[in-house]
Amino acid sequence: MNPPFNLDSFDLKGYLNERAKLVEEWLEANLPTPVGPHAPLIEAMRYSALSGGKRIRPILLMAAVDAVGGNGPQYIAAASAIECIHTYSLIHDDLPAMDDDDLRRGKPTCHKVFGEAMAVLAGDGLLNFAFEILSRTHLYPGVSDRIVLEVIRVIGEASGINGMVGGQAADVLMEGKEVDEKTLNFIHTHKTGALIRASLRSGALLGGGMGEKVEALTQFGYFLGLLFQIKDDLLDIEGDEKVVGKRLGKDAKMKKATYPSIYGIEATKEKAKSLLEQSLNLLSDFGKEADPLRAIAQYVVNRTR
Amino acid sequence: MNPPFNLDSFDLKGYLNERAKLVEEWLEANLPTPVGPHAPLIEAMRYSALSGGKRIRPILLMAAVDAVGGNGPQYIAAASAIECIHTYSLIHDDLPAMDDDDLRRGKPTCHKVFGEAMAVLAGDGLLNFAFEILSRTHLYPGVSDRIVLEVIRVIGEASGINGMVGGQAADVLMEGKEVDEKTLNFIHTHKTGALIRASLRSGALLGGGMGEKVEALTQFGYFLGLLFQIKDDLLDIEGDEKVVGKRLGKDAKMKKATYPSIYGIEATKEKAKSLLEQSLNLLSDFGKEADPLRAIAQYVVNRTR
């Protein structure tokens, strides 16, 4: 049972722009300034972290804070840390030894501009920077040290071998091979899903959410992560390269296993529809404060980039 | 003024072996098991983390705990986290795009065995794993959450752009260029020094050390880091490849700036001697509990590998 809510009355585009701008401004102000003998490294980090992007993970973290009755933008530092982790993963995934991408968000990838060595280190730098930010307790007023530590653990696990890194490894290892549903699920839930789930869980914890609500938002994050990946796979087949801002059709070329390649396009769209419904059901005990999350889930399925 | 202490009565070799074994065993037991679609990633992480090495950073962390009156081995988890960060940095530094090394600790480097993609991800995995371990509060009985968070911050800063990653970037960027003393100092204090300093500081904090003692051990770590790098530079010129276990003479070939290349071998040895003296002076207020640190400082200068 979904609660009554009217998407039309909610200006999602304005909301997303406003929240993305907060992330943009925080990163702009808090990423180090490129001075010293390692200046190009910092330039590379800034180049990738400030090159636009949907900022969906940090927006989700803040939206989860709001959903449990907190004030999302108060946790902009933690939200931006998540975006740094996401950016680091993109930089490393784009490397020639990995997906070998030369275009990202419509711009040349980090290693294309700064070289491979700087790209590896810029990724490393952003990952470390994220944990530095997360451990600066003064950035989380009113949050207990115990909760800050729990958030670090949630995010560390989500971005590590039992999360994003593990998923990316499996993805690389399976390229060109026959992949069964179990493995495909592993890749999706780990590579994209883990950090999205962690964004929701971290926001719920930082916002002071309790037991069941934290679990509901975590599970919502799980479904949303799957939706995200499935939609990415569909866009890789049906999207417009100019709109999406990166090379498309790569999955088929690389013979990557995707939902559409295993189940076909129509069944995949059905799966997306059913996942959306389940996600919305998870929010049935939440009030209007969770409307942005509801709207985002719909947006993920309907987006064109 | 150095306190009276007799190196001859201290079995440094036995001590180092025993403590290194603790690290070895902890990593063996706590690094994930290679199962699942990302098994080769975990194998790559284990390969590099369990391929021997001096384990000097974790040993220093535990020795700093001891020096302030705590029980070093009680903090084996934090010590091993530092070793994971060190190992991640070696894996990334060895990549073809960076130092392009094919030999490490007498064995083929990670990317030589598992390929570049897995090596990048194994490094990422170890870095994340370190922060996961550091945030698991039950591993640090009797330590307040506030101190655990401070340790995470100390280690995060030391391994990031204002530490190891920054130093490695500067090192890569300066290859083949004229380097002045200031830049050389930046590289040394950041690339090697920062994590050694963080090991000492973390140990002092975890062991319950207060104010001046924490600062003294941190500064000791600073000098020790410099000593370490200077000795590495000397070994690259004068060492025996079979004993050191990696390719030597690379600095000269790559025209890397080092202390010996700027000041000459003899002046560098004098500098090492003076730094050793300053390090020992910092420990003058510490009792016999700091003997291992004193012995290690001497060992760093006298080692042949």
Side-chain angles (χ1 to χ4, degrees):
Chain A
M1 282 260 299
N2 299 341
F5 78 100
N6 186 357
L7 241 187
D8 299 336
S9 73
F10 181 72
D11 175 17
L12 179 65
K13 205 178 158 191
Y15 172 87
L16 292 176
N17 283 341
E18 186 200 303
R19 291 284 168 109
K21 204 170 157 235
L22 291 180
V23 180
E24 207 72 32
E25 288 170 352
W26 194 94
L27 289 171
E28 174 70 47
N30 288 280
L31 278 169
T33 317
V35 287
H38 59 325
L41 166 74
I42 302 173
E43 273 166 30
M45 288 168 63
R46 295 186 70 96
Y47 173 82
S48 289
L50 297 171
S51 70
K54 294 183 285 285
R55 314 295 188 193
I56 198 73
R57 289 157 192 80
I59 291 173
L60 286 170
L61 185 146
M62 291 187 276
V65 173
D66 291 328
V68 295
N71 173 17
Q74 201 176 325
Y75 301 98
I76 181 67
S80 302
I82 293 254
E83 185 67 5
C84 288
I85 292 179
H86 174 57
T87 307
Y88 120 77
S89 78
L90 297 181
I91 296 175
H92 282 189
D93 287 3
D94 286 340
L95 286 170
M98 304 254 245
D99 294 352
D100 195 14
D101 272 308
D102 51 11
L103 207 56
R104 167 72 66 182
R105 292 167 181 167
K107 293 168 70 179
T109 44
C110 191
H111 66 270
K112 281 279 159 195
V113 181
F114 296 93
E116 264 186 77
M118 278 313 110
V120 172
L121 291 169
D124 294 347
L126 283 166
L127 177 57
N128 273 296
F129 185 65
F131 286 108
E132 281 182 56
I133 296 167
L134 291 169
S135 65
R136 289 185 194 149
T137 44
H138 68 274
L139 295 172
Y140 314 102
V143 179
S144 73
D145 290 348
R146 180 50 56 108
I147 290 291
V148 174
L149 278 164
E150 196 171 336
V151 167
I152 293 176
R153 192 164 53 253
V154 164
I155 293 174
E157 286 174 6
S159 58
I161 25 174
N162 295 316
M164 205 169 56
V165 172
Q168 172 67 3
D171 198 16
V172 169
L173 289 162
M174 294 301 156
E175 243 167 49
K177 290 185 188 155
E178 284 282 328
V179 171
D180 57 18
E181 191 185 350
K182 200 180 145 195
T183 307
L184 183 64
N185 255 318
F186 178 94
I187 295 173
H188 282 188
T189 53
H190 287 70
K191 186 177 171 177
T192 324
L195 198 60
I196 291 177
R197 195 164 70 241
S199 303
L200 269 296
R201 189 171 183 86
S202 302
L205 289 166
L206 288 168
M210 297 290 173
E212 273 179 34
K213 292 219 160 167
V214 174
E215 297 313 322
L217 287 173
T218 305
Q219 183 64 22
F220 174 84
Y222 177 79
F223 287 142
L224 196 67
L226 273 179
L227 272 179
F228 225 96
Q229 185 62 53
I230 288 176
K231 183 65 186 187
D232 263 357
D233 291 347
L234 285 169
L235 281 175
D236 194 64
I237 297 170
E238 300 188 324
D240 179 337
E241 208 163 90
K242 282 186 204 124
V243 178
V244 180
K246 63 178 178 183
R247 295 251 178 286
L248 296 179
K250 279 202 65 165
D251 293 342
K253 217 173 76 192
M254 312 280 279
K255 290 185 184 161
K256 268 198 188 183
T258 64
Y259 273 102
S261 79
I262 290 184
Y263 304 106
I265 292 180
E266 284 319 308
T268 302
K269 285 181 179 171
E270 277 307 310
K271 177 146 181 92
K273 217 174 127 186
S274 142
L275 276 171
L276 173 61
E277 212 163 294
Q278 289 175 73
S279 320
L280 296 176
N281 281 339
L282 280 164
L283 301 181
S284 56
D285 281 343
F286 289 78
K288 256 195 91 63
E289 298 81 28
D291 273 2
L293 289 179
R294 297 184 179 101
I296 287 168
Q298 303 213 352
Y299 155 79
V300 167
V301 179
N302 299 323
R303 72 201 158 100
T304 55
R305 69 185 183 103
Chain B
M1 283 265 297
N2 299 342
F5 79 99
N6 186 356
L7 242 186
D8 298 337
S9 73
F10 182 71
D11 175 18
L12 179 65
K13 206 178 157 191
Y15 173 86
L16 292 175
N17 283 341
E18 185 199 302
R19 291 282 168 109
K21 206 171 155 235
L22 290 179
V23 179
E24 207 73 31
E25 286 170 354
W26 195 94
L27 289 171
E28 174 70 47
N30 288 280
L31 278 169
T33 316
V35 287
H38 59 325
L41 166 75
I42 301 173
E43 274 166 30
M45 289 168 64
R46 295 185 70 97
Y47 173 82
S48 290
L50 298 171
S51 70
K54 293 184 285 285
R55 314 296 188 192
I56 198 73
R57 290 157 192 79
I59 291 173
L60 285 170
L61 185 147
M62 290 187 275
V65 173
D66 292 327
V68 296
N71 174 17
Q74 201 176 325
Y75 302 99
I76 183 67
S80 302
I82 292 254
E83 186 67 4
C84 287
I85 293 179
H86 175 57
T87 307
Y88 120 78
S89 78
L90 297 181
I91 296 175
H92 282 188
D93 288 4
D94 287 340
L95 286 169
M98 303 254 244
D99 294 352
D100 195 13
D101 272 307
D102 51 11
L103 206 56
R104 166 73 66 182
R105 294 169 180 165
K107 294 168 70 180
T109 44
C110 191
H111 66 270
K112 280 281 157 192
V113 181
F114 297 93
E116 263 186 78
M118 278 311 112
V120 171
L121 291 169
D124 294 348
L126 283 166
L127 178 57
N128 273 296
F129 185 64
F131 286 108
E132 280 181 56
I133 295 167
L134 289 170
S135 65
R136 288 185 195 150
T137 44
H138 68 275
L139 295 173
Y140 314 102
V143 179
S144 73
D145 288 349
R146 180 50 56 109
I147 290 291
V148 175
L149 279 165
E150 196 171 335
V151 167
I152 293 175
R153 192 163 55 251
V154 164
I155 294 175
E157 286 174 7
S159 59
I161 25 174
N162 294 317
M164 205 168 57
V165 172
Q168 172 67 3
D171 197 17
V172 168
L173 290 162
M174 293 301 156
E175 243 167 49
K177 289 183 188 158
E178 284 282 328
V179 171
D180 58 18
E181 191 183 349
K182 200 180 146 196
T183 307
L184 182 63
N185 254 317
F186 178 93
I187 294 173
H188 282 189
T189 53
H190 287 70
K191 186 177 171 177
T192 323
L195 197 59
I196 292 178
R197 197 164 67 242
S199 304
L200 269 297
R201 190 173 183 85
S202 301
L205 289 166
L206 289 168
M210 296 289 173
E212 275 181 31
K213 292 219 160 168
V214 173
E215 296 314 321
L217 287 174
T218 305
Q219 184 64 23
F220 174 84
Y222 176 78
F223 286 143
L224 197 67
L226 273 178
L227 272 179
F228 225 96
Q229 186 62 53
I230 288 176
K231 183 66 186 187
D232 263 357
D233 292 347
L234 285 169
L235 281 175
D236 194 65
I237 296 171
E238 299 188 323
D240 178 338
E241 208 163 272
K242 282 184 206 126
V243 178
V244 180
K246 62 177 179 184
R247 293 253 179 285
L248 298 179
K250 279 200 68 165
D251 293 344
K253 216 173 78 191
M254 311 281 280
K255 287 185 186 164
K256 266 199 187 178
T258 64
Y259 273 102
S261 79
I262 289 184
Y263 302 106
I265 292 181
E266 284 318 308
T268 303
K269 286 183 178 171
E270 277 307 310
K271 178 146 180 93
K273 217 173 128 187
S274 141
L275 276 171
L276 173 60
E277 213 162 294
Q278 290 175 73
S279 319
L280 296 176
N281 281 339
L282 280 164
L283 301 182
S284 56
D285 281 343
F286 289 77
K288 257 194 92 61
E289 297 82 27
D291 274 2
L293 288 179
R294 297 184 180 102
I296 286 168
Q298 302 213 352
Y299 156 79
V300 167
V301 179
N302 298 323
R303 71 200 157 101
T304 54
R305 65 186 185 104

